[in-house]
Amino acid sequence: MDEPIVVGIDIGTTKICTLVARLEGETDMRILGNGIVPSQGIKKGIVVDITAASDAVASSVEKAQRSSGLEIASAVVSMAGSHVSSMNSRGVVGINGGEIDQNDLDRALEAAQAVAMPHNREVIHVIQRGITVDGQEGIRSPIGFKGYRLEVEAHIITAAAATVENLRRCVESSGVEVSNFVLNPLASAEVVLSQTEREMGVCVLDIGGGTSDLAIYINGDVWHTNVIPVGGNQVTSDIAIGLRIPLDLAEDVKLKHGHAVKTEINQDDFITLKVFGEEAPQQISKRDLAYIIEARVDELFTLVQQEIRRSGYDSMLPAGIVLTGGTSLLPGIRTVASRVLNMPVRLAKPENLVGLVDKLQSPAYSTSFGLLKWAEMFNMAA
C-alpha cells in the first residue's frame, strides 16, 4: 500500500472519535476504520479525570484498530478548552542581498516566537500570516526573492502546559504517540472552508458539546483564534433545569424536538414528559422548549459577536461565518446566527469522503476529518 495511512483522534466533551484513513488522489480520503465512543473524564475540552479519559481513548483506539485491521502507532490529536490562547507577533531578520531560502524563513519565524512566554504555557501552533520583503507586503512565499530585510507576521497559539501533558498522557497510555496537537477550528476549517472564503475573509465556528471554537481566516491565512466555553451541553443543562427533567432525558428531548426559533413552533404542539416532583407525565409546550433553547443560542452568538469585534476584524469578513460541529445541526440555529451576527451564515459538513463513512458525513465529525488532513500535511512535510 503506497499511499500513507493517517490517523486522527478527536477528543471532545461529548465523544471521542478515532479515524484511520488512506489518501486517494489529491482530495479524497478513504476511511479504513473508525472508533467512536462516549467521552469520559473530559469537561469543556479539559481532562478532569485522567483514568476515565484514558480508558475512553483506549476504547476508541481499539475499535478503530479492529475495524481497520491496522495497528495505530501515532496520531494527530485535537485540542480545545478555555486554556487555549493566541497572539500575533512579528519576526525580522537580515538577508545578505542574495536569494531568500527556507532557512531564512525559518529564522524569521523563530524570531517571531521570541516573545515573553510564561513557563506554564506550551506553543501548539506557529502559523505564518503575512510576509514583507524590503517593505513589499502581501508576498505569499518569499522563497527565491532577493532582498535585505525579511519580516514575517505569525499567529502563535499556546495552551496550558499541564493540560497539554494530561491530554498527551491519556493518548499515550493506549500505546499511541501524539505526533501533533491541532486546535479544533483549524482542523474543521480544512474540510469545511473553500479557498475563496479563506481569501475573502471568513469565520469558522465549530460548536461542540463543551466549547465553541472560532477561527478567522483573511487573505488565505489564520488571523485570529479563540475558544468560547459554551456549547451544546449548556443548552441541554438549560432544558433540564427549565423543564425539571434529568440530563439524559433533556439531551434526548433536545435532539428529537429541539428548535432554536420559538416563533417557528406551533403553539398547539406539545410533548409528554415525566418531570421531577410529579407522579403523572406532564404536557410540555414545544414553544416553551424552543424559548429555553433560543435564549442560550442567542447568548452564544452574542459572545461570538463580541469576540469577532474584539479581534478587530469584524469589517473584514464578507464571506460571513461557517457553522459546523454537532450542535450546528440544531434546527433554527442558522436563523439565530444570522440575526445576531448580521452576516452571511452557512452550515457545513465534511465532503470528498469515501470508505466507512456511514453516519460520519455530519458536521459533528468535521474536526475528526480535519485532523486527517493535518496528518496528511505532516506526512508530506516529513
Side-chain angles (χ1 to χ4, degrees):
M1 202 177 294
D2 295 334
E3 299 91 343
I5 302 299
V6 291
V7 181
I9 304 177
D10 178 13
I11 302 178
T13 302
T14 305
K15 68 182 184 308
I16 296 176
C17 176
T18 301
L19 294 183
V20 182
R22 182 176 69 237
L23 182 69
E24 295 191 343
E26 294 186 0
T27 58
D28 289 348
M29 284 278 186
R30 177 168 292 278
I31 307 302
L32 304 177
N34 65 73
I36 304 166
V37 301
S39 188
Q40 302 289 336
I42 307 287
K43 189 173 183 180
K44 293 184 181 293
I46 297 173
V47 177
V48 294
D49 184 333
I50 200 162
T51 302
S54 297
D55 290 345
V57 171
S59 176
S60 174
V61 169
E62 183 187 356
K63 283 189 173 184
Q65 289 182 145
R66 197 162 56 240
S67 61
S68 67
L70 299 169
E71 185 175 350
I72 298 172
S74 65
V76 175
V77 179
S78 69
M79 175 168 290
S82 56
H83 65 100
V84 176
S85 63
S86 63
M87 69 179 87
N88 294 321
S89 177
R90 288 180 179 269
V92 182
V93 294
I95 312 294
N96 62 8
E99 284 192 3
I100 296 172
D101 58 21
Q102 185 62 45
N103 182 53
D104 296 319
L105 183 57
D106 291 341
R107 286 194 299 122
L109 283 170
E110 284 180 17
Q113 292 182 64
V115 293
M117 188 76 66
H119 71 279
N120 63 343
R121 304 294 295 175
E122 181 172 329
V123 175
I124 303 299
H125 295 286
V126 179
I127 302 169
Q128 180 182 305
R129 206 183 94 162
I131 296 174
T132 304
V133 176
D134 291 352
Q136 180 184 342
E137 298 180 348
I139 294 173
R140 299 297 300 169
S141 173
I143 307 300
F145 276 62
K146 287 186 177 291
Y148 293 90
R149 176 187 168 93
L150 173 63
E151 186 174 350
V152 174
E153 187 169 356
H155 185 67
I156 302 173
I157 299 172
T158 67
T163 304
V164 174
E165 183 57 30
N166 289 336
L167 199 57
R168 183 180 282 112
R169 284 176 60 194
C170 288
V171 176
E172 292 182 347
S173 67
S174 61
V176 178
E177 181 185 351
V178 179
S179 56
N180 284 92
F181 285 109
V182 178
L183 191 65
N184 281 14
L186 302 188
S188 298
E190 288 300 316
V191 293
V192 302
L193 293 186
S194 69
Q195 189 58 38
T196 301
E197 286 172 329
R198 292 167 181 252
E199 294 290 343
M200 290 291 293
V202 69
C203 174
V204 58
L205 183 69
D206 188 323
I207 314 174
T211 62
S212 295
D213 312 311
L214 173 150
I216 291 175
Y217 286 77
I218 299 173
N219 296 334
D221 297 319
V222 179
W223 281 40
H224 182 75
T225 53
N226 196 31
V227 177
I228 298 169
V230 177
N233 288 357
Q234 282 68 44
V235 176
T236 302
S237 179
D238 286 357
I239 294 170
I241 294 169
L243 301 184
R244 303 193 303 278
I245 59 177
L247 273 172
D248 55 349
L249 178 57
E251 178 70 15
D252 191 53
V253 167
K254 180 183 74 174
L255 296 177
K256 290 182 178 177
H257 307 287
H259 202 289
V261 183
K262 61 181 179 294
T263 55
E264 294 185 10
I265 303 300
N266 193 315
Q267 287 183 321
D268 299 325
D269 285 348
F270 289 86
I271 51 177
T272 303
L273 299 174
K274 185 76 170 67
V275 304
F276 290 123
E278 299 290 344
E279 292 185 6
Q282 301 294 303
Q283 292 278 344
I284 304 293
S285 167
K286 283 190 177 182
R287 179 169 279 201
D288 288 344
L289 171 64
Y291 180 85
I292 294 170
I293 295 173
E294 184 172 3
R296 177 62 81 169
V297 172
D298 192 285
E299 180 203 30
L300 167 62
F301 288 114
T302 299
L303 292 172
V304 170
Q305 183 184 53
Q306 290 171 357
E307 181 60 29
I308 293 174
R309 285 176 176 169
R310 190 179 69 82
S311 74
Y313 307 129
D314 49 314
S315 64
M316 303 171 68
L317 303 174
I321 188 166
V322 175
L323 305 181
T324 192
T327 306
S328 70
L329 290 166
L330 185 65
I333 196 167
R334 181 175 172 272
T335 302
V336 179
S338 182
R339 185 187 72 222
V340 175
L341 299 174
N342 193 29
M343 63 171 63
V345 180
R346 77 173 177 92
L347 306 182
K349 63 181 182 180
E351 297 177 348
N352 300 320
L353 306 169
V354 293
L356 303 175
V357 296
D358 290 348
K359 300 181 181 178
L360 296 178
Q361 290 182 315
S362 158
Y365 298 98
S366 294
T367 297
S368 306
F369 287 113
L371 291 173
L372 298 177
K373 289 287 188 181
W374 275 81
E376 172 205 337
M377 290 189 285
F378 291 136
N379 278 352
M380 291 175 68

